[in-house]
Amino acid sequence: MNDDLFDAITDVFSGFGWPAVFEVAILAFVIFALLRLVRGTSAMPVVRGIGIVVVAIVLVSRVFDLAVLSWLVNNALAVLALFVLIVFQPEFRRALERVGRTGVRSLVGVRRDGYDSLIDAVSVAAGELSTQRAGALMVIERETGLQEIADTGTPVDALPTPALLEGIFYPNSPLHDGAVLLRPERVVAAACTLPVSPQRAVRGAHVGLRHRAALGISEQTDAIAVVVSEETGLISVAMGGRLVQRLNEQRLRTLLGTLTNGAWREFRLRTSRTEA
């Protein structure tokens, strides 16, 4: 029996030469790139769920030799793929647009383009608004697409500069209510409406509507929200449903640089210490 199994394995790998290895490597890279494109978007949980269900069905059909179920799986994969592409067409379109802007670097994880200048503009603007005690709410889009949020506001489509951000949140400005949506090298829209978190207190202290909106968008997406309190002038950052407070311009710059590099664990540790 062992000899038969060894012979079967040998027969399988006997035709597995360098061309086959190259094909497998290309296929693995394509799958990896596609998963990176949809990672963090609303399409990812659906893709993950479909994958789990398909694997489970395949295992059951193979173990129990269910011919009909195997036929359904083999013929439904293309339909499922088409279904995901149609339903989540906006997410895939934005992902491909990102590839067009940044090239293959967005496929292999290099995503720093534009964030450095954006962080500078947000940090300087937040520092000035804090000094003036002018309320502000700025949302930095990351992997999860936020076009639905942008559609609730007024399109801006301009380069991010401290002067522009300060002008938007100048008291009595037509756009000062709501949030500003930011992408690398772009102010997308102003006066946007955000989902509001049910949290009404952080560290035992009451938080206002801006902070709850910042927490809300950070709970539902991987976005980073920067808040300047109109009452106290204090700067806060929300991400992943957590809020770190009492920042100044320099600490804000450092924290945003850390978060856009993907150091989520450091943020959790920082907020845990702050909430203790």
Side-chain angles (χ1 to χ4, degrees):
M1 181 65 181
N2 291 334
D3 291 338
D4 293 340
L5 178 61
F6 180 78
D7 291 340
I9 295 175
T10 302
D11 290 339
V12 170
F13 283 95
S14 62
F16 198 76
W18 285 111
V21 173
F22 186 65
E23 288 178 338
V24 170
I26 292 177
L27 181 61
F29 177 78
V30 170
I31 294 174
F32 171 78
L34 290 175
L35 291 176
R36 279 202 60 86
L37 283 177
V38 299
R39 187 186 67 176
T41 68
S42 55
M44 190 60 186
V46 176
V47 172
R48 187 185 300 116
I50 290 175
I52 294 172
V53 171
V54 169
V55 170
I57 293 176
V58 169
L59 290 176
V60 170
S61 64
R62 295 293 186 270
V63 170
F64 295 101
D65 195 20
L66 305 176
V68 175
L69 197 58
S70 297
W71 181 88
L72 287 175
V73 172
N74 293 334
N75 290 274
L77 289 178
V79 177
L80 286 174
L82 184 62
F83 167 78
V84 172
L85 288 174
I86 292 174
V87 173
F88 296 101
Q89 181 265 340
E91 285 79 4
F92 282 101
R93 186 187 69 244
R94 286 194 291 273
L96 292 174
E97 288 175 353
R98 188 169 68 238
V99 174
R101 291 195 303 267
T102 63
V104 296
R105 288 172 294 180
S106 62
L107 299 180
V108 296
V110 181
R111 293 290 309 280
R112 289 298 301 168
D113 288 20
Y115 275 119
D116 291 334
S117 59
L118 179 61
I119 289 171
D120 286 339
V122 169
S123 301
V124 173
E128 289 297 322
L129 292 167
S130 174
T131 301
Q132 302 168 16
R133 292 201 174 184
L137 177 52
M138 295 171 274
V139 177
I140 300 175
E141 182 185 80
R142 298 179 69 238
E143 297 288 345
T144 305
L146 299 178
Q147 187 58 44
E148 296 86 355
I149 299 297
D151 292 340
T152 66
T154 301
V156 177
D157 192 25
L159 289 172
T161 64
L164 175 59
L165 295 175
E166 291 171 39
I168 289 173
F169 290 109
Y170 188 80
N172 300 322
S173 163
L175 301 178
H176 83 284
D177 282 331
V180 164
L181 178 61
L182 304 167
R183 291 174 184 154
E185 300 182 349
R186 225 73 204 148
V187 178
V188 181
C192 298
T193 302
L194 301 183
V196 177
S197 171
Q199 296 187 57
R200 294 181 177 272
V202 176
R203 296 171 58 205
H206 178 79
V207 292
L209 186 58
R210 279 195 180 93
H211 292 81
R212 291 176 60 197
L215 287 168
I217 192 66
S218 74
E219 288 167 351
Q220 298 186 17
T221 71
D222 64 349
I224 303 168
V226 178
V227 188
V228 180
S229 172
E230 188 173 353
E231 291 77 16
T232 64
L234 295 176
I235 303 172
S236 305
V237 167
M239 184 176 177
R242 291 173 175 261
L243 189 71
V244 59
Q245 300 172 291
R246 301 182 182 280
L247 299 172
N248 56 28
E249 180 180 332
Q250 185 55 49
R251 289 182 63 198
L252 174 63
R253 190 190 309 272
T254 302
L255 181 58
L256 291 179
T258 301
L259 293 178
T260 52
N261 273 322
W264 168 237
R265 183 174 179 273
E266 292 184 22
F267 182 74
R268 288 180 65 90
L269 291 174
R270 183 190 296 258
T271 51
S272 297
R273 288 195 298 268
T274 305
E275 293 168 0

